[in-house]
Amino acid sequence: MQIREATISDFDAITEIYNQVVLTSTAIYNDRPVAIEDRLAWWSARREKGYPVLVAETDEVVMGFASFGDFRAWPGYRFTVEGTIHIRAESRGQGVGSALLEELIRLAREMGKHTMIAGVDAENTASLRFLTRFGFEQVAHFREVGFKFDRFLDLIFLQYWLSTASADSIAAKTQANE
């Protein structure tokens, strides 16, 4: 399995995986499939900010994709990112998610990020177990904030510490770079 940056030629597969997740699960709180142009616009926005969009590939088949981006748009959140990973149904349980998450964590640390957030549907026990095994900690449980498949959904936020740097050391480093 190879983990690499996505290219434009990957977006048929990325869109297919995204839509498969939309139509069959509550992992994405969207109930409508998207066109490839939507995923390309998402990719472009991530690239403009220097954020990765990764794919896991075996034998030229994209088995999953992952990315992270701003947790919130305001400058005070600039050291926090929110990650996402989606795996083709037939590729789950084969280490694809682990390989993608390891690379996301490495890249976020390399970018000087301090913490990563993951939002997971409360009924998605497989994803909750997966993230907990990596060291993510549950920090919030929002009740009935999503709606899909004719029911309200609870959202769990988990947090992963990318660095142990103090606010003082980050401020000093930021000032030195300005």
Side-chain angles (χ1 to χ4, degrees):
M1 175 177 20
Q2 176 188 12
I3 305 298
R4 61 172 175 75
E5 280 285 332
T7 65
I8 198 162
S9 64
D10 296 317
F11 276 83
D12 283 335
I14 288 172
T15 305
E16 178 188 334
I17 293 165
Y18 181 89
N19 285 335
Q20 178 187 59
V21 173
V22 164
L23 293 171
T24 62
S25 77
T26 56
I28 300 171
Y29 288 4
N30 180 5
D31 52 8
R32 293 184 185 101
V34 299
I36 192 169
E37 292 79 14
D38 172 85
R39 294 291 81 200
L40 288 168
W42 169 79
W43 178 50
S44 178
R46 293 285 165 112
R47 291 179 69 200
E48 283 176 19
K49 292 191 172 203
Y51 290 133
V53 175
L54 306 173
V55 295
E57 178 185 68
T58 297
D59 299 327
E60 298 183 16
V61 174
V62 173
M63 301 181 329
F65 70 93
S67 185
F68 61 77
D70 293 331
F71 173 64
R72 296 287 181 264
W74 302 287
Y77 292 104
R78 68 188 170 278
F79 296 107
T80 302
V81 292
E82 184 170 1
T84 188
I85 298 173
H86 296 294
I87 309 300
R88 186 179 298 280
E90 57 273 16
S91 298
R92 293 180 191 144
Q94 299 176 25
V96 177
S98 295
L100 285 165
L101 184 54
E102 286 171 1
E103 186 64 5
L104 281 185
I105 288 170
R106 186 189 72 75
L107 291 169
R109 284 182 171 141
E110 195 174 276
M111 290 178 72
K113 300 302 179 182
H114 180 61
T115 188
M116 183 180 287
I117 304 296
V120 179
D121 182 72
E123 295 179 8
N124 189 343
T125 56
S127 289
L128 292 169
R129 276 193 313 270
F130 167 72
L131 292 167
T132 300
R133 278 196 316 269
F134 264 86
F136 281 75
E137 299 174 24
Q138 182 177 328
V139 294
H141 186 142
F142 299 103
R143 300 192 188 285
E144 298 186 0
V145 296
F147 189 82
K148 188 171 180 179
F149 300 136
D150 296 322
R151 67 183 197 275
F152 285 102
L153 305 169
D154 289 5
L155 178 65
I156 304 275
F157 268 14
L158 299 103
Q159 183 173 14
Y160 182 85
W161 300 102
L162 297 162
S163 78
T164 57
S166 71
D168 291 340
S169 67
I170 290 174
K173 189 183 218 180
T174 302
Q175 288 173 351
N177 291 335
E178 291 176 347

